Amino acid sequence: MIKQELTQKQQQKLSPLQIQQIKLLELTGLEIEDRINRELEENPALEESSDAAPESQEEDSFSEFEAEDNFSQEDMMLGDYRTEDDIPDYKLQQNYHTEKTAREDIPYSESESFHDFLLNQLHLKNLSEEEMKIGEYLIGNIDEAGYIRQEPEVISDDLLFQYGWEVPVSTLQEVLQIIHEMDPPGVGAANLRECLLIQLKRKEPTKVRNQAIRVLDRYFEALSKKQYDKILLRLNINEEELKEIIKEITLLNPKPGNTLESNMVTKMSQITPDFFAEIINGEPVFNMQERSIPELRINKEYNNILNSYSSAKGKQNPGKSETFEFVKQKVDSAKWFIDAIKQRNVTLKKTMEAIGHIQRDFFLTGEESNLKPMILKDVSELSGYDKSTVSRVSNSKYVQTNFGIYPLKYFFSEAMLNDEGEEISTREIKAILKNCIDEEDKSKPLTDDLLVKELKAKGYEVARRTVAKYREQLNISVARLRKEI
């Protein structure tokens, strides 16, 4: 049976301007420059305003939490296009700046890629055409740490299936041995043990180095588990001799791939701060990055054409009507883009000001212990934007302070209560936990249970599993692996 019925539902649809806003908010400073240049090339109705005066520092500054809002809150309720987890969680900190240091961008240095460095060395070797191809393939399989994780048998099978090359395992091992002789020492190893052995064998032989080779060759598992008693017994040496052996091993590089830039994405990218934090009259003041972003406007000729067609509406022939639609589309697109750029700048300013207002003490001192608990909701309530908008602004955006460059994500952390009932940042607890571990007796390192007691004595009630989680986030090993003789 077929029947008709009416239903009523509320549905939110995004306008073209809102879609522009979503995309532009997520772009970094360098990406927005590229986006503007591309729009100028593609849309003839959009042009640079050559007679526009540059904005003054007072116009860029937003030390007072008063940025003019030319758009509605409804425009910023854009939905969950990107979650809070998508914000990168890492920190770039360089203590190169003082209060009097001139403001300048700090890019990643661009250098020869790790794989190119190895290929250049390979091409200097006197190899046959087949050996050269095998060497290039092996180098292509070296990961960022400098290792070739695949077994020679697996690589031999891959060469057969992918390229039809029948390469014996013995030939692969011969070429691999050539790679082991390259710089940096240890490159092309299958695992950490082999990597360290390669480096030791390339050094001038000494009694300590020979003993270190023996330890790595025969007792690597005991060494990795810090079972020093077993090594002392097997080698029939004293603790002082073992300390010298361990010292020799710790001087080696466990990740030879880190010697040079091995990631091409990192190599080609650079981090440029989007904001600058300065201390003026004892208060943090934030300024937007002064970039070569042009002032945009509608092309006068296109605007005049649109006006003339509009005034002569109804009189034009079909051909003129098509021209009118084309011009109108380009002009509307240019207007949308200009409004979206203006809105992006206002949104970034107000969000950065909200973060700076909450984390005022940190921007004044640079002390991690002064970071207050802050989540997306806190910034959302202060700035007036939706949490999803704050998340997009925080994504891949950086602020340069007198103490280094920080991603905005760095300032977000959850809250806990101390014994006095005060809210403290989880980042503060991590800092105290790290300090406890740094000051421990390395011959008797603190277990997680003992760390709980240490934190409790300092006024922080933290569960054992939480201590273990924070320790792992700080990349700190368990007590057994931190033990030293």
Side-chain angles (χ1 to χ4, degrees), residues 169-184:
V169 173
S170 59
T171 303
L172 280 174
Q173 291 174 332
E174 290 175 2
V175 179
L176 193 57
Q177 184 61 39
I178 295 173
I179 294 176
H180 289 169
E181 296 170 359
M182 294 181 181
D183 291 325

PDB file of all heavy atoms in Angstrom, residues 169-184:
ATOM      1  N   VAL A 169      70.231 -14.794  -2.265  1.00  0.00           N
ATOM      2  CA  VAL A 169      70.397 -14.171  -0.955  1.00  0.00           C
ATOM      3  C   VAL A 169      71.860 -13.811  -0.713  1.00  0.00           C
ATOM      4  O   VAL A 169      72.175 -12.773  -0.116  1.00  0.00           O
ATOM      5  CB  VAL A 169      69.877 -15.109   0.153  1.00  0.00           C
ATOM      6  CG1 VAL A 169      70.206 -14.546   1.533  1.00  0.00           C
ATOM      7  CG2 VAL A 169      68.377 -15.327   0.011  1.00  0.00           C
ATOM      8  N   SER A 170      72.768 -14.658  -1.210  1.00  0.00           N
ATOM      9  CA  SER A 170      74.199 -14.387  -1.021  1.00  0.00           C
ATOM     10  C   SER A 170      74.614 -13.085  -1.698  1.00  0.00           C
ATOM     11  O   SER A 170      75.430 -12.321  -1.165  1.00  0.00           O
ATOM     12  CB  SER A 170      75.026 -15.554  -1.567  1.00  0.00           C
ATOM     13  OG  SER A 170      74.752 -15.747  -2.953  1.00  0.00           O
ATOM     14  N   THR A 171      74.046 -12.804  -2.884  1.00  0.00           N
ATOM     15  CA  THR A 171      74.356 -11.549  -3.585  1.00  0.00           C
ATOM     16  C   THR A 171      73.812 -10.364  -2.815  1.00  0.00           C
ATOM     17  O   THR A 171      74.470  -9.316  -2.701  1.00  0.00           O
ATOM     18  CB  THR A 171      73.761 -11.569  -5.005  1.00  0.00           C
ATOM     19  OG1 THR A 171      74.248 -12.702  -5.719  1.00  0.00           O
ATOM     20  CG2 THR A 171      74.127 -10.304  -5.762  1.00  0.00           C
ATOM     21  N   LEU A 172      72.590 -10.498  -2.276  1.00  0.00           N
ATOM     22  CA  LEU A 172      72.010  -9.433  -1.465  1.00  0.00           C
ATOM     23  C   LEU A 172      72.891  -9.120  -0.264  1.00  0.00           C
ATOM     24  O   LEU A 172      73.128  -7.949   0.060  1.00  0.00           O
ATOM     25  CB  LEU A 172      70.611  -9.842  -0.980  1.00  0.00           C
ATOM     26  CG  LEU A 172      69.447  -9.691  -1.966  1.00  0.00           C
ATOM     27  CD1 LEU A 172      68.173 -10.269  -1.364  1.00  0.00           C
ATOM     28  CD2 LEU A 172      69.238  -8.230  -2.322  1.00  0.00           C
ATOM     29  N   GLN A 173      73.387 -10.146   0.378  1.00  0.00           N
ATOM     30  CA  GLN A 173      74.217  -9.954   1.568  1.00  0.00           C
ATOM     31  C   GLN A 173      75.541  -9.286   1.218  1.00  0.00           C
ATOM     32  O   GLN A 173      76.078  -8.498   2.007  1.00  0.00           O
ATOM     33  CB  GLN A 173      74.448 -11.297   2.263  1.00  0.00           C
ATOM     34  CG  GLN A 173      73.174 -11.861   2.904  1.00  0.00           C
ATOM     35  CD  GLN A 173      73.362 -13.244   3.465  1.00  0.00           C
ATOM     36  OE1 GLN A 173      74.210 -14.020   2.992  1.00  0.00           O
ATOM     37  NE2 GLN A 173      72.556 -13.600   4.466  1.00  0.00           N
ATOM     38  N   GLU A 174      76.075  -9.586   0.017  1.00  0.00           N
ATOM     39  CA  GLU A 174      77.315  -8.943  -0.412  1.00  0.00           C
ATOM     40  C   GLU A 174      77.103  -7.434  -0.616  1.00  0.00           C
ATOM     41  O   GLU A 174      77.930  -6.623  -0.203  1.00  0.00           O
ATOM     42  CB  GLU A 174      77.812  -9.588  -1.706  1.00  0.00           C
ATOM     43  CG  GLU A 174      78.337 -11.013  -1.521  1.00  0.00           C
ATOM     44  CD  GLU A 174      78.696 -11.661  -2.850  1.00  0.00           C
ATOM     45  OE1 GLU A 174      78.574 -10.968  -3.898  1.00  0.00           O
ATOM     46  OE2 GLU A 174      79.088 -12.843  -2.863  1.00  0.00           O
ATOM     47  N   VAL A 175      75.990  -7.072  -1.272  1.00  0.00           N
ATOM     48  CA  VAL A 175      75.697  -5.643  -1.482  1.00  0.00           C
ATOM     49  C   VAL A 175      75.370  -4.972  -0.154  1.00  0.00           C
ATOM     50  O   VAL A 175      75.754  -3.818   0.090  1.00  0.00           O
ATOM     51  CB  VAL A 175      74.536  -5.484  -2.480  1.00  0.00           C
ATOM     52  CG1 VAL A 175      74.205  -4.005  -2.678  1.00  0.00           C
ATOM     53  CG2 VAL A 175      74.879  -6.126  -3.821  1.00  0.00           C
ATOM     54  N   LEU A 176      74.671  -5.705   0.697  1.00  0.00           N
ATOM     55  CA  LEU A 176      74.335  -5.160   2.013  1.00  0.00           C
ATOM     56  C   LEU A 176      75.598  -4.865   2.825  1.00  0.00           C
ATOM     57  O   LEU A 176      75.667  -3.871   3.552  1.00  0.00           O
ATOM     58  CB  LEU A 176      73.447  -6.158   2.768  1.00  0.00           C
ATOM     59  CG  LEU A 176      72.729  -5.650   4.026  1.00  0.00           C
ATOM     60  CD1 LEU A 176      71.871  -4.445   3.696  1.00  0.00           C
ATOM     61  CD2 LEU A 176      71.877  -6.762   4.615  1.00  0.00           C
ATOM     62  N   GLN A 177      76.600  -5.701   2.663  1.00  0.00           N
ATOM     63  CA  GLN A 177      77.864  -5.480   3.355  1.00  0.00           C
ATOM     64  C   GLN A 177      78.526  -4.184   2.882  1.00  0.00           C
ATOM     65  O   GLN A 177      79.147  -3.459   3.669  1.00  0.00           O
ATOM     66  CB  GLN A 177      78.804  -6.670   3.114  1.00  0.00           C
ATOM     67  CG  GLN A 177      80.121  -6.595   3.864  1.00  0.00           C
ATOM     68  CD  GLN A 177      79.939  -6.552   5.373  1.00  0.00           C
ATOM     69  OE1 GLN A 177      79.083  -7.236   5.909  1.00  0.00           O
ATOM     70  NE2 GLN A 177      80.746  -5.733   6.048  1.00  0.00           N
ATOM     71  N   ILE A 178      78.362  -3.870   1.597  1.00  0.00           N
ATOM     72  CA  ILE A 178      78.903  -2.618   1.049  1.00  0.00           C
ATOM     73  C   ILE A 178      78.202  -1.429   1.691  1.00  0.00           C
ATOM     74  O   ILE A 178      78.824  -0.415   2.026  1.00  0.00           O
ATOM     75  CB  ILE A 178      78.739  -2.595  -0.486  1.00  0.00           C
ATOM     76  CG1 ILE A 178      79.592  -3.698  -1.116  1.00  0.00           C
ATOM     77  CG2 ILE A 178      79.100  -1.223  -1.052  1.00  0.00           C
ATOM     78  CD1 ILE A 178      79.383  -3.871  -2.606  1.00  0.00           C
ATOM     79  N   ILE A 179      76.866  -1.548   1.879  1.00  0.00           N
ATOM     80  CA  ILE A 179      76.103  -0.472   2.519  1.00  0.00           C
ATOM     81  C   ILE A 179      76.536  -0.297   3.970  1.00  0.00           C
ATOM     82  O   ILE A 179      76.606   0.817   4.491  1.00  0.00           O
ATOM     83  CB  ILE A 179      74.595  -0.763   2.419  1.00  0.00           C
ATOM     84  CG1 ILE A 179      74.149  -0.711   0.945  1.00  0.00           C
ATOM     85  CG2 ILE A 179      73.776   0.225   3.251  1.00  0.00           C
ATOM     86  CD1 ILE A 179      72.709  -1.079   0.717  1.00  0.00           C
ATOM     87  N   HIS A 180      76.868  -1.414   4.625  1.00  0.00           N
ATOM     88  CA  HIS A 180      77.328  -1.337   6.018  1.00  0.00           C
ATOM     89  C   HIS A 180      78.637  -0.562   6.150  1.00  0.00           C
ATOM     90  O   HIS A 180      78.954  -0.073   7.227  1.00  0.00           O
ATOM     91  CB  HIS A 180      77.517  -2.750   6.589  1.00  0.00           C
ATOM     92  CG  HIS A 180      76.231  -3.464   6.833  1.00  0.00           C
ATOM     93  ND1 HIS A 180      76.163  -4.809   7.131  1.00  0.00           N
ATOM     94  CD2 HIS A 180      74.947  -3.027   6.810  1.00  0.00           C
ATOM     95  CE1 HIS A 180      74.889  -5.162   7.282  1.00  0.00           C
ATOM     96  NE2 HIS A 180      74.145  -4.098   7.088  1.00  0.00           N
ATOM     97  N   GLU A 181      79.387  -0.451   5.060  1.00  0.00           N
ATOM     98  CA  GLU A 181      80.654   0.272   5.089  1.00  0.00           C
ATOM     99  C   GLU A 181      80.472   1.773   4.843  1.00  0.00           C
ATOM    100  O   GLU A 181      81.423   2.534   4.899  1.00  0.00           O
ATOM    101  CB  GLU A 181      81.596  -0.308   4.034  1.00  0.00           C
ATOM    102  CG  GLU A 181      81.972  -1.768   4.305  1.00  0.00           C
ATOM    103  CD  GLU A 181      82.714  -2.401   3.138  1.00  0.00           C
ATOM    104  OE1 GLU A 181      82.910  -1.688   2.114  1.00  0.00           O
ATOM    105  OE2 GLU A 181      83.088  -3.582   3.235  1.00  0.00           O
ATOM    106  N   MET A 182      79.237   2.178   4.557  1.00  0.00           N
ATOM    107  CA  MET A 182      78.961   3.586   4.278  1.00  0.00           C
ATOM    108  C   MET A 182      78.792   4.372   5.572  1.00  0.00           C
ATOM    109  O   MET A 182      78.710   3.823   6.659  1.00  0.00           O
ATOM    110  CB  MET A 182      77.688   3.713   3.423  1.00  0.00           C
ATOM    111  CG  MET A 182      77.785   3.138   2.035  1.00  0.00           C
ATOM    112  SD  MET A 182      76.222   3.394   1.153  1.00  0.00           S
ATOM    113  CE  MET A 182      76.602   2.599  -0.419  1.00  0.00           C
ATOM    114  N   ASP A 183      78.737   5.685   5.402  1.00  0.00           N
ATOM    115  CA  ASP A 183      78.419   6.580   6.517  1.00  0.00           C
ATOM    116  C   ASP A 183      76.934   6.951   6.451  1.00  0.00           C
ATOM    117  O   ASP A 183      76.369   7.051   5.353  1.00  0.00           O
ATOM    118  CB  ASP A 183      79.272   7.852   6.437  1.00  0.00           C
ATOM    119  CG  ASP A 183      80.739   7.570   6.722  1.00  0.00           C
ATOM    120  OD1 ASP A 183      81.007   6.688   7.563  1.00  0.00           O
ATOM    121  OD2 ASP A 183      81.600   8.223   6.102  1.00  0.00           O
ATOM    122  N   PRO A 184      76.310   7.160   7.581  1.00  0.00           N
ATOM    123  CA  PRO A 184      76.833   7.057   8.947  1.00  0.00           C
ATOM    124  C   PRO A 184      77.012   5.601   9.364  1.00  0.00           C
ATOM    125  O   PRO A 184      76.272   4.727   8.882  1.00  0.00           O
ATOM    126  CB  PRO A 184      75.752   7.744   9.788  1.00  0.00           C
ATOM    127  CG  PRO A 184      74.504   7.571   8.995  1.00  0.00           C
ATOM    128  CD  PRO A 184      74.917   7.634   7.562  1.00  0.00           C
TER     129      PRO A 184
END
